[in-house]
Amino acid sequence: RALWAPAPRTENMATQAPTTPAASQVLPLELVDKCIGSRIWIIMKGDKEIVGTLRGFDDYVNMVLEDVVEYEITPEGRRVTKLDQVLLNGNNVAIMVPGGQPPYDD
């Protein structure tokens, strides 16, 4: 179940910017919402990457993930940690890759 739901549109159609029929617009939170229940690869601002199943998120893109694998780059090499469930602070997310896996996935 999503923690976020799009707000109802209240703007007048006449005030919208013109669009071409071929162009489609996807808002970031709509794309994240489509990923609920799917695996997602998250690259953090630091030296961590996380792969897990997205279960929910909020307006700040704080996320609940299940069946998580955390990859951390350390001076000694790559450390892999498996976790059942995490609450991820969206403030530290740099890139989200829906359906993605790191190239070195074990």
Side-chain angles (χ1 to χ4, degrees):
R1 177 177 164 279
L3 301 176
W4 173 85
R9 296 186 72 163
T10 58
E11 61 194 30
N12 184 337
M13 294 296 285
T15 63
Q16 293 180 357
T19 59
T20 61
S24 68
Q25 181 181 11
V26 177
L27 298 174
L29 291 178
E30 290 175 351
L31 180 60
V32 177
D33 190 53
K34 290 180 182 180
C35 295
I36 289 183
S38 301
R39 298 290 284 175
I40 189 166
W41 173 24
I42 301 168
I43 302 170
M44 306 299 287
K45 288 182 182 176
D47 292 330
K48 290 186 181 183
E49 297 181 16
I50 295 174
V51 177
T53 302
L54 181 64
R55 293 296 174 206
F57 67 98
D58 63 12
D59 287 340
Y60 301 101
V61 195
N62 297 316
M63 292 173 270
V64 176
L65 300 165
E66 289 182 348
D67 302 319
V68 175
V69 180
E70 177 186 68
Y71 301 92
E72 184 175 9
I73 307 303
T74 66
E76 296 80 30
R78 183 170 26 100
R79 180 173 43 204
V80 178
T81 306
K82 294 185 179 190
L83 303 162
D84 291 330
Q85 189 175 56
V86 298
L87 172 60
L88 185 65
N89 185 329
N91 195 42
N92 298 314
V93 172
I95 299 172
M96 297 170 62
V97 184
Q101 291 281 354
Y104 44 79
D105 187 29
D106 296 332

